[in-house]
Amino acid sequence: MKSHEVFTLIEEITRLDGSKYMEISNMVQNGRAELAVERGLIKEVRILQLNIAHTPHVQAYEDYVNEHYAMPEEDFTEFQEWAKPAEIQEEVLAILHENHIG
């Protein structure tokens, strides 16, 4: 059964090549990212903001992610970075702006 994720935090993810990106996430997803670090799939993850407001931008991003992606099982062997079409990237940028990040 596919889960319905509710996003509550902003994290910074460092890819293996050293480049970074911001992700809107939750504690469970953050735990998966921490596992990915331990498994050498990404370099680092750190939480930048906890308990973000559930604004219309966050809701729009949640809707997109829940429609297109599923929570990875604990035995994953690759870290999946969520692709963001232009309109969804605009939602992420609005969330970062609302939270004074970036």
Side-chain angles (χ1 to χ4, degrees):
M1 184 172 153
K2 189 173 178 180
S3 62
H4 177 79
E5 300 303 315
V6 175
F7 297 137
T8 58
L9 61 85
I10 299 170
E11 61 189 6
E12 178 184 72
I13 295 175
T14 305
R15 299 176 186 102
L16 291 176
D17 68 3
S19 61
K20 298 177 181 192
Y21 72 99
M22 310 293 181
E23 189 58 82
I24 315 306
S25 191
N26 60 32
M27 291 306 288
V28 176
Q29 293 279 6
N30 179 262
R32 294 297 193 267
E34 292 287 349
L35 275 175
V37 171
E38 289 180 17
R39 294 174 182 168
L41 303 173
I42 59 176
K43 191 177 280 187
E44 182 181 40
V45 60
R46 66 187 185 112
I47 295 174
L48 301 177
Q49 177 108 13
L50 287 170
N51 301 320
I52 61 174
H54 200 261
T55 65
H57 297 293
V58 173
Q59 183 63 57
Y61 188 58
E62 275 178 13
D63 291 345
Y64 169 77
V65 169
N66 283 311
E67 182 178 326
H68 293 90
Y69 298 97
M71 172 72 72
E73 298 293 329
E74 282 189 47
D75 62 352
F76 64 92
T77 57
E78 65 181 349
F79 184 78
Q80 183 180 29
E81 185 175 332
W82 297 332
K84 299 170 186 73
E87 66 274 8
I88 298 303
Q89 184 60 37
E90 288 178 25
E91 297 291 353
V92 170
L93 292 174
I95 295 164
L96 296 175
H97 180 74
E98 289 171 340
N99 288 278
H100 311 286
I101 295 175

